[in-house]
Amino acid sequence: MVKAMAITGNEAVAEAMRQVNPDVVAAYPITPQTEIVQIFSTFVADGLVHTEFVPVESEHSALSAVVGASAAGARAMTATSSQGFALMWEVLHIASGMRLPIIMPVVNRALSAPINIHCDHSDTMGARDSGWIQLYSENAQEAYDNLIQAVRIAEHPDVMLPAMVMMDGFIISHGMESAHLLEDSVVREFIGEYKPEHSLLDVDHPVTYGALDFADWYFEHKRQESAAQENVASVVLEVAEEFHKISGRKYGLFEAYRLDDAEIAIVALNSTAGTVKEVCDSLRENGIKAGLLKIRLFRPFPHKQVLDALRHVKALAVLDRADTYSTMGGPVYIDVRNVMYDAPGPKIVNYIYGLGGRDLDLDEITKVYRDLQDIASTGVVQEPITYLGVRE
């Protein structure tokens, strides 16, 4: 029986980890992720999981321990946020380069300096090219569902790549909302038993991980890593279809909200997408054909599907909760603009917003849609990149 309960995002992810019952979890606390591993450690202490819990002295060590466990054949997880995520940087590439299906919830938080504990996406957007699969979540329900599905996606034999599942710090991680959790037995049957193809502990079939790989074979191995990314989108859809059967909740590569006949649209991800939906509904009541494309799978970026979903729109705004400091806009904007380059499509503008946890309210999103109406009617873009809600 599905359980409906009031739950925070951190609690929902910890519950998903308990249901997955990983072999190894290594972690170091950092706000606002701390609660995930704190709750999970009580599950370990109470004997509710069979996990080997490894408390370490840093996030670099946490991911290093998980890499070792995964290479040994374990189903392994960790969790982090912000500076802790940045401290993992070196090991992120080792995990993906070794093709280890590690799962890591990441609670999005701003990067220093200045010091800030609140939400933006500068942490995970900075690692978008690290070879990890990235799934973004609008609310606690999606964070829970994505975490469970990520296990199947990462361990799929056509993929074998690490995956991170994101949710917004404090907004979702600590906000209480309603969510429906599956029965433990249903989750465990869905994810199945992990049967690694290779294991460092299999002494009868010895393998080498992390060997020197110079100009002779390094290029070929990285090409294989890239080729595996090409399989991710179809596996995400395959797993989502199976998850739909056990949960009734349907997922895709993205969510197209009132987008089919939209003339103006916004691209957003994580919790902001929920706020955009409210504005979108209000505008629709007044006859304005507004829509939203909420990205779920950001890496690898489903460029062909995004192009098909947006090519009919007259004007498009991409909301970025991170800056690239390239003077060319935010990371999502650059990807979307690249996708639309070879096809006649909408005029595209970028709004960078909410850095360090600054709120984005309904009026500001309404203003974005009003700007899009002007662009759609005139065909003129006055400001391609706008810092929304900042004092200047």
Side-chain angles (χ1 to χ4, degrees):
M1 181 181 293
V2 174
K3 294 187 291 185
M5 57 192 303
I7 198 168
T8 68
N10 278 348
E11 290 170 340
V13 167
E15 283 291 329
M17 291 174 65
R18 180 188 60 75
Q19 293 178 319
V20 170
N21 193 13
D23 299 310
V24 175
V25 168
Y28 187 81
I30 180 170
T31 301
Q33 166 278 129
T34 302
E35 197 179 30
I36 294 176
V37 289
Q38 181 180 336
I39 295 170
F40 187 79
S41 68
T42 65
F43 297 150
V44 177
D46 293 342
L48 300 179
V49 291
H50 302 299
T51 305
E52 181 72 28
F53 187 78
V54 187
V56 291
E57 89 294 351
S58 74
E59 289 85 353
H60 188 282
S61 296
L63 189 53
S64 296
V66 168
V67 163
S70 183
R75 179 174 271 161
M77 293 185 178
T78 184
T80 193
S81 181
S82 186
Q83 302 302 126
F85 183 83
L87 189 55
M88 291 178 171
W89 188 266
E90 177 188 33
V91 195
L92 288 175
H93 293 263
I94 292 172
S96 56
M98 288 185 175
R99 307 290 299 279
L100 301 174
I102 295 164
I103 304 301
M104 179 165 65
V106 182
V107 183
N108 285 113
R109 172 188 145 183
L111 288 172
S112 299
I115 297 173
N116 188 302
I117 64 168
H118 294 286
C119 173
D120 68 35
H121 301 159
S122 52
D123 49 4
T124 52
M125 284 295 166
R128 64 190 183 277
D129 299 330
S130 63
W132 284 58
I133 298 164
Q134 290 196 342
L135 295 172
Y136 284 82
S137 317
E138 180 184 331
N139 48 41
Q141 182 73 72
E142 290 190 3
Y144 170 84
D145 292 346
N146 280 337
L147 196 288
I148 294 169
Q149 291 178 73
V151 175
R152 286 280 305 277
I153 296 165
E155 294 176 1
H156 193 287
D158 293 339
V159 176
M160 291 301 293
L161 289 167
M164 57 182 82
V165 174
M166 273 66 72
M167 62 177 160
D168 285 348
F170 293 109
I171 301 167
I172 302 302
S173 65
H174 287 65
M176 186 72 70
E177 56 185 312
S178 175
H180 294 76
L181 306 190
L182 299 167
E183 288 291 330
D184 294 356
S185 59
V186 173
V187 172
R188 289 179 185 173
E189 183 177 355
F190 177 77
I191 62 170
E193 182 182 352
Y194 177 45
K195 298 178 181 177
E197 184 175 355
H198 305 289
S199 167
L200 288 175
L201 301 181
D202 183 0
V203 295
D204 295 326
H205 302 88
V207 292
T208 299
Y209 280 91
L212 278 175
D213 196 358
F214 289 146
D216 47 1
W217 284 104
Y218 179 89
F219 199 170
E220 282 71 24
H221 286 131
K222 302 311 285 186
R223 178 65 186 95
Q224 289 176 353
E225 190 178 331
S226 182
Q229 295 282 0
E230 295 170 5
N231 300 327
V232 171
S234 61
V235 171
V236 167
L237 293 175
E238 175 186 322
V239 172
E241 182 61 30
E242 292 185 38
F243 188 79
H244 180 218
K245 293 175 183 174
I246 64 168
S247 68
R249 296 186 287 274
K250 195 165 188 176
Y251 289 92
L253 307 176
F254 49 78
E255 179 183 352
Y257 186 78
R258 310 194 78 159
L259 193 59
D260 287 348
D261 65 340
E263 295 179 350
I264 55 176
I266 284 176
V267 175
L269 40 69
N270 270 13
S271 63
T272 300
T275 315
V276 173
K277 288 176 183 175
E278 291 293 320
V279 177
C280 196
D281 289 343
S282 176
L283 294 175
R284 284 279 178 168
E285 290 175 1
N286 294 307
I288 299 171
K289 293 186 175 181
L292 162 72
L293 186 141
K294 182 186 78 178
I295 292 173
R296 178 183 179 229
L297 176 67
F298 182 66
R299 278 294 179 272
F301 195 65
H303 51 95
K304 294 177 182 175
Q305 296 86 345
V306 168
L307 172 61
D308 289 341
L310 293 175
R311 66 166 75 234
H312 66 283
V313 175
K314 293 180 180 176
L316 177 67
V318 180
L319 304 188
D320 268 295
R321 203 160 197 160
D323 197 350
T324 60
Y325 308 106
S326 65
T327 72
M328 296 190 299
V332 183
Y333 170 68
I334 291 173
D335 275 5
V336 172
R337 205 151 185 259
N338 186 30
V339 163
M340 308 303 289
Y341 180 78
D342 288 327
K347 298 286 186 182
I348 309 172
V349 291
N350 185 208
Y351 293 83
I352 295 172
Y353 75 98
L355 301 188
R358 180 158 297 177
D359 285 339
L360 179 68
D361 62 28
L362 299 175
D363 289 341
E364 288 172 316
I365 295 173
T366 301
K367 180 185 181 306
V368 171
Y369 276 119
R370 296 296 183 196
D371 291 347
L372 291 177
Q373 283 185 289
D374 292 340
I375 294 170
S377 63
T378 64
V380 176
V381 172
Q382 298 288 351
E383 295 289 342
I385 303 168
T386 300
Y387 288 81
L388 190 62
V390 71
R391 291 186 293 271
E392 294 189 283

